[in-house]
Amino acid sequence: MAAQKSSGTERLCGVLERIVYCNEQTHWTIGEVRASAKDAAVTIVGAMPGVQCGETLELTGQWVTHAEFGRQFKVAQFTCTLPSDVHGIRRYLGSGLIKGIGKSYAEKIVATFGADTLRVISEESARLREVPGIGARRIKLIKQAWDEQHSLRELMIFLQTYGVTNSQCLRLIRAYGGQAKTILQHEPYRVAREVERFGFKTADKIALNIGFATEAPPRLDAGLIFALEELQEQGHTCVHEGELTRQCAELLQVDAALLPER
């Protein structure tokens, strides 16, 4: 399995062949990936929400040696791509990911639609009636499960694009579910108040990456609150307005004249 080294981390790419273990609460996953049929399988470990057998994973992390299980790739970040060939699609659907589709129905669906299977499920799910044994109730179940999985995938991609780590993604998803993307786009500083281990500086980094202006009113308000909290932690019970303004302006790297009117 070829790996590329970059800034103290390495990159690994392969098809997820097997999921050995997955914790549904933390999404901690142990799996095996293989670059090609002729390559040996490599064990990967880490928080990887929503990954399924048959997907191509692009992984960033480090090689570690487990005392009992040997060499493993510890995943820090990942992206995944849906399978495009018939074998991969059959394996993907047969993994149990989509409610209403087991190995038997996966075989039938792929036999009917071939490499176009995933597009049919996503865009023309009514056509699943063409598959022997699939009725309206099962089609509804399949479509609902597919949409839920798709939403999780899109959310993870969006969050990682703006510098959110895997562990942060999981906390946001647990806190806000499918609303996480909307909240980050419109109220990024809200997460500093509501999500555990998500302080102002982390929320600010994400907000600026998304495109919030350095002088945006929500940023100034959140910065003032954070500056007050910092002073309180230092033991202050009161602070002169000028000192608060100075510290906040330094923190936010903005003109202090913008702050008194807040």
Side-chain angles (χ1 to χ4, degrees):
M1 178 78 62
Q4 296 179 328
K5 195 168 184 178
S6 175
S7 303
T9 63
E10 298 197 27
R11 300 183 187 279
L12 196 63
C13 181
V15 175
L16 183 59
E17 291 282 323
R18 186 164 77 102
I19 294 177
V20 179
Y21 169 81
C22 181
N23 184 306
E24 293 185 2
Q25 296 299 317
T26 65
H27 298 280
W28 181 266
T29 303
I30 301 173
E32 294 180 352
V33 297
R34 195 186 302 268
S36 67
K38 65 181 180 179
D39 289 310
V42 170
T43 299
I44 59 172
V45 297
M48 292 174 276
V51 297
Q52 292 296 327
C53 293
E55 293 180 322
T56 296
L57 304 182
E58 293 187 15
L59 311 166
T60 302
Q62 292 182 325
W63 289 101
V64 297
T65 301
H66 190 280
E68 183 178 354
F69 301 109
R71 196 166 186 251
Q72 303 174 338
F73 191 80
K74 187 174 182 180
V75 178
Q77 295 283 102
F78 77 96
T79 59
C80 51
T81 305
L82 289 173
S84 57
D85 60 42
V86 170
H87 173 72
I89 293 170
R90 188 185 296 112
R91 189 178 186 87
Y92 180 74
L93 293 180
S95 67
L97 163 71
I98 307 299
K99 291 181 180 178
I101 303 180
K103 289 185 178 181
S104 176
Y105 276 114
E107 293 280 352
K108 293 179 181 180
I109 294 171
V110 174
T112 302
F113 301 114
D116 204 30
T117 294
L118 299 185
R119 187 197 64 78
V120 169
I121 294 175
S122 178
E123 301 174 12
E124 301 179 83
S125 58
R127 288 188 58 196
L128 290 172
R129 287 231 178 189
E130 299 172 25
V131 181
I134 293 186
R137 185 170 176 273
R138 187 176 293 274
I139 290 174
K140 183 178 180 180
L141 186 65
I142 291 171
K143 178 60 174 172
Q144 181 180 350
W146 175 267
D147 288 344
E148 288 174 355
Q149 182 67 19
H150 180 73
S151 296
L152 176 60
R153 178 190 300 276
E154 291 297 309
L155 179 57
M156 290 295 293
I157 292 172
F158 168 81
L159 294 175
Q160 290 182 354
T161 298
Y162 291 105
V164 183
T165 67
N166 275 353
S167 60
Q168 290 169 341
C169 286
L170 293 176
R171 288 198 288 275
L172 287 169
I173 291 169
R174 281 197 290 267
Y176 302 122
Q179 294 298 309
K181 179 177 179 179
T182 299
I183 289 170
L184 274 186
Q185 286 177 316
H186 301 286
E187 303 176 87
Y189 295 98
R190 174 178 163 185
V191 302
R193 304 190 306 271
E194 300 178 349
V195 182
E196 182 184 1
R197 294 168 62 191
F198 236 102
F200 168 78
K201 291 183 179 180
T202 301
D204 190 43
K205 177 183 176 182
I206 294 169
L208 294 175
N209 284 343
I210 287 174
F212 265 64
T214 56
E215 299 177 358
R219 183 170 188 262
L220 300 181
D221 291 341
L224 280 167
I225 292 172
F226 177 70
L228 280 170
E229 291 173 345
E230 288 279 280
L231 288 166
Q232 184 179 24
E233 288 183 7
Q234 293 168 17
H236 297 279
T237 56
C238 64
V239 61
H240 190 277
E241 182 179 336
E243 176 61 17
L244 175 62
T245 298
R246 184 192 67 76
Q247 287 206 26
C248 190
E250 184 177 328
L251 167 72
L252 299 177
Q253 296 295 295
V254 297
D255 187 344
L258 294 169
L259 296 168
E261 61 189 55
R262 304 309 307 162

